[in-house]
Amino acid sequence: MQSLPSHAEPFLNMTCNILVSYRDTCLSAYQSIVRSESEDKRIISATWAKDEDISRFLRSLPNWTNLQNQKGHFGTSIDIEESSEEIRLRNMKESDMLTSNLAETMIPVHEILADVVQLRTLALLQESLEWFGGRIHELAESLPTQPRTPTTPTTPTSSNILELPPVPEASVKSLNLLAREFETLAETCLLVLHLEVRVHCFFYLLPVAKQSSFNAGVDSQDPDMEIIKLNKDLAGIDEALSSSLQSRKFRYIFEGLGHLVASIIINSAQYITQINDNGIKKTCRNIFAIQQNLTNITLSREVALDHARHYFELLYQDPEEVLNEIVEHGPKFTELDYRNALQLLHRSRSGNHHRAELEAQVGRLHDILNEVAVTI
């Protein structure tokens, strides 16, 4: 276009047509990654990323807003700090949304992207699309849409070249729309990766509560097999994505994962039939194993998992002791969490079928929590 300025307009139209074709190629590449092998099945993360309500919710969270704000011009970034309380609240908000949608039923393997090679390919596609969309925007901004006058500022160039004649505004608008389509697809790829890692946590953790035994007579020294599989899976995703994504995007994917895992584990108490001291010890070992793995990935202590461990340590006590602890030290968990703990303790007491006693304890719990300030 600079060498043959008189042919700028037809060349620009040809460029737009090529970009449309390439956009379709990129979309096909994305769909080939997130398409389930079975026609009537879905990949949860991809389905959710396309859902307007869920996508809007995730984009409304501060971590997404900060991620977009960090995209400066020409590779620069703007660092925006969140307080620890702001981070905790938005992690809790996201965890509550995911738990309410995914914690009821176990997830079939065909609804996740189990192959880390696919995740790495998706990450590379994301980076390429974002970069390419930015370059198209730069091209569109550099094109003149009206004749320059002596007072019209010009963009400095590295060499003295012929100025381009004005091009139709419609063509420039088409370029900007195409650029935005590439960037939108890049954002979708990132949302899918963010959701996919979280869906994997549900995939591995839900069977632990719903299928494992927590009242064994022998104290096993090893974490559950599903916990070992989850740690191996997360380590594989870490290796695949850390070399494929910018660090700010990598943080977006893994930050808050500890809070989600803690929420899943605490919420899972309602699915445990019975638990004894050996079962409590096993759960604490499971939590510690995940905490070590996530700390190695995020390079920060996942304190939310300490919260989950403290929750299960409540179960060493009897119901009255749990209620007295709330009175003396204040509540550390939600009313629902405490109610699930009381119900689990009630189920675990051999030969105890007194429903009235449980209802009285739950009623006292409600009264206590109405009298003291919840600290979580």
Side-chain angles (χ1 to χ4, degrees):
M1 292 174 64
Q2 292 172 337
S3 300
L4 298 171
S6 61
H7 296 279
E9 183 177 341
F11 183 79
L12 183 59
N13 291 334
M14 182 176 64
T15 300
C16 288
N17 291 333
I18 294 173
L19 289 175
V20 168
S21 177
Y22 184 61
R23 176 206 60 193
D24 294 341
T25 299
C26 291
L27 182 59
S28 297
Y30 165 77
Q31 291 173 340
S32 69
I33 296 171
V34 301
R35 184 183 298 114
S36 176
E37 294 181 1
S38 177
E39 291 295 331
D40 59 339
K41 305 299 181 182
R42 62 168 186 163
I43 299 296
I44 293 176
S45 59
T47 302
W48 280 26
K50 289 193 304 181
D51 184 279
E52 288 188 8
D53 292 334
I54 294 175
S55 177
R56 188 185 307 112
F57 169 79
L58 292 174
R59 292 167 189 264
S60 71
L61 295 176
N63 54 344
W64 177 265
T65 303
N66 289 343
L67 182 69
Q68 301 308 307
N69 288 340
Q70 289 172 24
K71 291 195 303 185
H73 293 291
F74 306 108
T76 61
S77 63
I78 305 167
D79 293 326
I80 297 178
E81 295 292 333
E82 285 182 276
S83 70
S84 57
E85 180 64 12
E86 288 172 331
I87 292 173
R88 188 186 70 85
L89 289 175
R90 53 105 159 148
N91 286 341
M92 182 172 65
K93 190 176 181 181
E94 181 182 46
S95 295
D96 289 346
M97 185 276 290
L98 293 171
T99 302
S100 65
N101 282 276
L102 291 174
E104 293 298 322
T105 59
M106 287 188 288
I107 298 171
V109 68
H110 61 255
E111 293 189 357
I112 67 171
L113 296 173
D115 187 353
V116 294
V117 174
Q118 288 181 300
L119 298 180
R120 183 175 184 273
T121 303
L122 192 61
L124 293 172
L125 180 62
Q126 194 283 330
E127 290 285 4
S128 298
L129 289 168
E130 184 178 272
W131 178 88
F132 194 58
R135 302 297 78 74
I136 298 173
H137 272 308
E138 289 179 6
L139 172 61
E141 291 172 1
S142 70
L143 296 175
T145 56
Q146 60 183 8
R148 288 202 179 102
T149 65
T151 59
T152 303
T154 60
T155 303
T157 59
S158 58
S159 60
N160 293 325
I161 57 175
L162 293 174
E163 288 190 355
L164 294 176
V167 296
E169 288 188 10
S171 297
V172 175
K173 184 178 180 180
S174 295
L175 276 179
N176 280 318
L177 288 174
L178 284 166
R180 185 57 197 148
E181 288 181 5
F182 281 105
E183 291 174 340
T184 299
L185 185 54
E187 292 172 358
T188 300
C189 291
L190 192 57
L191 286 176
V192 170
L193 289 169
H194 179 86
L195 288 167
E196 186 63 31
V197 175
R198 284 149 179 77
V199 174
H200 282 218
C201 293
F202 284 96
F203 176 77
Y204 287 106
L205 290 175
L206 289 180
V208 175
K210 296 186 177 184
Q211 296 178 346
S212 297
S213 172
F214 291 86
N215 63 342
V218 179
D219 181 17
S220 172
Q221 298 300 309
D222 298 319
D224 272 289
M225 183 55 63
E226 293 300 315
I227 301 299
I228 295 173
K229 290 179 181 177
L230 172 61
N231 280 338
K232 183 179 179 181
D233 183 57
L234 292 178
I237 296 174
D238 166 37
E239 183 178 358
L241 299 188
S242 61
S243 60
S244 308
L245 287 175
Q246 297 177 47
S247 58
R248 63 184 174 84
K249 299 174 187 175
F250 181 84
R251 286 196 303 272
Y252 172 71
I253 290 171
F254 278 97
E255 190 179 52
L257 207 59
H259 195 288
L260 174 65
V261 170
S263 296
I264 296 171
I265 292 174
I266 291 174
N267 185 69
S268 69
Q270 63 184 301
Y271 304 117
I272 298 175
T273 305
Q274 289 183 323
I275 194 168
N276 60 15
D277 286 2
N278 289 337
I280 298 171
K281 293 176 184 176
K282 180 176 78 168
T283 303
C284 290
R285 274 193 294 272
N286 288 343
I287 293 170
F288 182 68
I290 298 172
Q291 188 176 39
Q292 279 189 312
N293 190 44
L294 283 179
T295 296
N296 290 335
I297 293 173
T298 63
L299 302 180
S300 62
R301 180 170 177 78
E302 297 292 340
V303 294
L305 287 163
D306 289 331
H307 191 64
R309 178 170 52 80
H310 294 154
Y311 177 77
F312 273 85
E313 287 173 346
L314 285 176
L315 302 176
Y316 283 124
Q317 308 174 80
D318 63 37
E320 289 301 321
E321 289 174 327
V322 172
L323 294 174
N324 291 336
E325 181 178 301
I326 301 173
V327 174
E328 294 174 6
H329 303 290
K332 306 300 180 185
F333 305 94
T334 66
E335 182 174 353
L336 176 60
D337 294 337
Y338 277 118
R339 188 164 67 245
N340 287 337
L342 292 176
Q343 291 171 342
L344 177 54
L345 286 170
H346 182 78
R347 292 194 300 269
S348 302
R349 293 168 67 180
S350 178
N352 191 334
H353 302 289
H354 298 293
R355 183 75 181 175
E357 181 182 3
L358 173 62
E359 291 176 352
Q361 292 165 352
V362 171
R364 186 183 169 205
L365 168 67
H366 182 73
D367 293 338
I368 291 171
L369 294 179
N370 280 341
E371 295 174 1
V372 295
V374 178
T375 60
I376 64 172

